Amino acid sequence: MDLVLRGATVFDGTGADGYRADVALAGGRIARIHRPRDGGPRPSARRTLDADGLALAPGFIDMHAHSDLALLRDPAHEAKALQGVTLEVLGQDGLSYAPADDATLSAVRTQITGWNGPGDDVTFDWRTVGGYLDRLDRGVAVNAAYLIPQGTVRAMAVGWHDRPATGAELDRMRSLVDAGMREGAVGLSSGLTYAPGMYADTAELTALCRVVARHGGYWCPHHRSYGAGALAAYQEVIDVARSAGCALHLAHATMNFTVNAGRAGELLALLDAAIDGGCDLSLDTYPYTPGCTTLAAMLPGWALDGGPAATLARLRDEASAARIRQVLEVDGSDGCHGVPIDWETIEISGVADPALRRLAGRTVAALARDSGEEPFAVARRLLLADRLGTAILQHVGDESNVRAIMRHPAHTGGSDGILMGDKPHPRAYGTFPRYLGTYVRELGVLTLPAAVARLTGRPAARLGLPDRGLVRAGHRADLVLFDPGTVGAGATFERPRTAPTGIPYVLIDGRLTVDDGRRTAVTAGRSVRGRGYRVAENTQHGA
């Protein structure tokens, strides 16, 4: 044996109660689990780690991550590694970097600078899903799965235009999705409040989801509203998934804004009805109330038509800017989920232009008071100066909804963590220990076995990974040891990059990536490919 974890209390990822055991690892897998009742000699190994008083769980799976470039630029990736995350799902919200041609890649990099940075420190030496996954296979901090971004696919086939796809364009999108699934993607993501994915109608989405379903993948939509039209938006994606016969995973499934305070029960009734009707449905949430996105994402969809350059031109034009202000502040922009924007809730978390860093941590309303301007004038000037690269926190959540939704049996954990900016959302650094510390130990919203299942076994099942997500002999040795009495998120809104407490050991492929609370130099993470990739491999080899 390579390593024995001696005397841990095992929470195996199924939701079952913990039990005491020695867990022996060899060759990157769990080789033996020895309970006291088993009798006989305890396993021995080259190294024995005393885990008395610690909980042993499968490594945490972040079902909604924005580390697409961070994994490539930062070998340590402490934001996730120190939390016990051993697998992230990338390609979220319909916008990422594969597949892409040169023109699309350039536009996407501008569009999501606020999520991932401009990428000037990354060599984009891929253009396909398979090429991106091969790049991860050179060695990264944690494992990663990938969702094909529907908005990027639409940009390649249709451009950044608000119009229906032609038959030929739809055929190209289907071909791109088919290729991405065969190259290893686990599914398709959509950002239905982000251009250009938001311009797709339900028929287009259904056609693409049918391709995903053929490969055993799932659809992960950021749907069209988390605000005024939330329930109708949830119903739309359920209807698409049902029509396509595709599994559905709801991204950051929240009910936000004052109009939805205390209404989680209505959403859960809708989801239960869908599940009872045969919909294969799961969801993820983060354990915080504020959201995080880009300032440009607040703009109405028509203002984004044509791509980033066209958006900037509209912001420069006085008449167009006046129309944008009317929609944002009075009518309720589709980018702001149909709710008139409250500038007091919009906090600058990061900027692309270093000259603007002094603005981080301030709300648009506060900046307007300082300058004596109207808030829209401040926001407009910032969007132009930062070339749409500004990231924001949006303080619009409801705590009762957060708690109710995380109790649902279809729930899994996802950070939706944006790692860029001087004041990023603390969920990027604190989601998983916050679940265990705040919502298990302090508030009792979840039991410890239930929380572990939501962060491990249940996500692995959604991803279709037969040898991950459980503490079971023969499974991958992606594991985390934590102290249930002290585990907690160190990250706060004031100090968002503070490391968590109570997570001394993390292993990927049986190798310690965190040892005694410190990040090691191990980069054992690789791509984790979906069912469609395995089918393609079997066909290629004549199986």
Side-chain angles (χ1 to χ4, degrees):
M1 302 294 178
D2 300 322
L3 177 65
V4 170
L5 309 175
R6 181 82 75 200
T9 301
V10 176
F11 294 89
D12 65 5
T14 66
D17 289 341
Y19 62 87
R20 190 173 175 84
D22 300 337
V23 178
L25 315 179
R29 293 186 179 268
I30 299 171
R32 182 182 170 196
I33 301 173
H34 180 273
R35 304 193 196 195
R37 71 185 187 195
D38 295 337
R42 300 174 79 174
S44 60
R46 286 186 286 274
R47 177 180 175 183
T48 297
L49 195 157
D50 181 6
D52 183 45
L54 297 177
L56 174 65
F60 302 139
I61 297 175
D62 189 342
M63 287 296 286
H64 193 105
H66 288 283
S67 305
D68 306 46
L69 299 186
L71 275 174
L72 303 180
R73 68 162 64 95
D74 179 11
H77 197 39
E78 290 188 352
K80 297 300 177 65
L82 294 178
Q83 291 187 63
V85 171
T86 60
L87 171 60
E88 298 184 276
V89 185
L90 312 176
Q92 299 286 349
D93 295 327
L95 288 165
S96 190
Y97 308 97
D101 52 32
D102 290 352
T104 301
L105 181 61
S106 176
V108 167
R109 287 177 61 182
T110 299
Q111 183 85 347
I112 55 176
T113 290
W115 294 356
N116 299 320
D120 295 338
D121 50 355
V122 174
T123 301
F124 290 84
D125 55 356
W126 69 86
R127 291 296 182 272
T128 65
V129 170
Y132 177 71
L133 296 177
D134 288 345
R135 176 72 179 275
L136 297 176
D137 283 339
R138 299 179 196 174
V140 288
V142 305
N143 297 310
Y146 189 75
L147 295 164
I148 302 164
Q150 171 254 327
T152 304
V153 167
R154 194 175 211 273
M156 289 181 71
V158 183
W160 297 73
H161 308 300
D162 184 2
R163 64 169 176 79
T166 67
E169 289 165 344
L170 183 57
D171 285 344
R172 188 178 182 210
M173 285 189 277
R174 281 193 288 237
S175 178
L176 289 166
V177 172
D178 181 75
M181 295 300 295
R182 291 182 182 277
E183 291 164 11
V186 294
L188 178 77
S189 78
S190 291
L192 300 180
T193 64
Y194 297 126
M198 67 192 309
Y199 304 141
D201 59 21
T202 56
E204 181 179 317
L205 295 169
T206 301
L208 299 183
C209 285
R210 288 193 177 112
V211 178
V212 174
R214 287 202 301 269
H215 292 284
Y218 68 93
W219 182 37
C220 180
H222 165 128
H223 48 276
R224 296 190 197 274
S225 177
Y226 293 82
L231 292 178
Y234 279 110
Q235 187 64 62
E236 179 195 23
V237 297
I238 289 169
D239 291 344
V240 167
R242 182 183 289 119
S243 179
C246 188
L248 176 64
H249 181 83
L250 301 169
H252 37 61
T254 60
M255 292 279 283
N256 288 338
F257 301 90
T258 303
V259 295
N260 288 322
R263 296 182 64 193
E266 297 174 57
L267 168 62
L268 299 180
L270 180 67
L271 302 186
D272 287 338
I275 293 168
D276 291 344
C279 185
D280 180 3
L281 184 152
S282 57
L283 58 93
D284 66 67
T285 70
Y286 46 84
Y288 297 86
T289 52
C292 180
T293 186
T294 63
L295 183 58
M298 298 292 101
L299 299 175
W302 60 261
L304 305 170
D305 186 8
T311 301
L312 290 167
R314 291 187 184 97
L315 286 165
R316 292 187 194 99
D317 178 73
E318 293 298 333
S320 296
R323 287 183 61 204
I324 291 170
R325 179 178 181 176
Q326 169 70 24
V327 174
L328 274 175
E329 296 185 341
V330 180
D331 303 335
S333 163
D334 48 1
C336 195
H337 308 276
V339 177
I341 198 164
D342 178 357
W343 295 110
E344 296 283 359
T345 70
I346 305 299
E347 178 185 352
I348 309 304
S349 61
V351 294
D353 184 348
L356 301 169
R357 292 179 63 181
R358 68 188 185 283
L359 304 181
R362 306 292 308 284
T363 66
V364 171
L367 293 170
R369 285 191 290 270
D370 288 350
S371 64
E373 299 173 277
E374 293 295 322
F376 177 75
V378 172
R380 177 190 179 193
R381 187 173 67 252
L382 179 55
L383 285 166
L384 288 167
D386 209 25
R387 296 190 58 78
L388 311 181
T390 305
I392 61 168
L393 304 185
Q394 191 172 19
H395 296 268
V396 293
D398 178 78
E399 179 65 20
S400 69
N401 288 345
V402 170
R403 298 185 191 189
I405 293 168
M406 75 169 62
R407 291 189 184 102
H408 193 272
H411 173 265
T412 67
S415 72
D416 195 13
I418 306 282
L419 299 166
M420 303 304 297
D422 287 337
K423 295 292 289 292
H425 197 304
R427 69 192 186 193
Y429 291 76
T431 285
F432 295 88
R434 181 170 168 84
Y435 266 116
L436 300 172
T438 300
Y439 287 92
V440 172
R441 185 181 64 248
E442 297 175 8
L443 299 176
V445 175
L446 299 172
T447 66
L448 184 53
V452 169
R454 283 160 167 75
L455 307 181
T456 61
R458 194 173 293 168
R462 166 52 73 216
L463 294 168
L465 306 177
D467 61 351
R468 298 178 193 266
L470 301 175
V471 179
R472 185 168 291 172
H475 275 49
R476 298 269 186 175
D478 296 349
L479 302 165
V480 56
L481 281 159
F482 63 91
D483 182 345
T486 63
V487 64
T492 64
F493 288 97
E494 293 73 29
R495 300 181 62 192
R497 288 192 171 89
T498 306
T501 57
I503 305 179
Y505 302 102
V506 183
L507 300 98
I508 296 179
D509 201 34
R511 303 166 64 190
L512 283 159
T513 59
V514 176
D515 190 350
D516 197 22
R518 293 184 293 273
R519 179 72 173 93
T520 70
V522 170
T523 51
R526 300 292 185 272
S527 72
V528 173
R529 308 205 185 203
R531 292 186 179 105
Y533 180 75
R534 292 194 290 273
V535 169
E537 287 290 289
N538 289 340
T539 302
Q540 177 180 337
H541 291 94

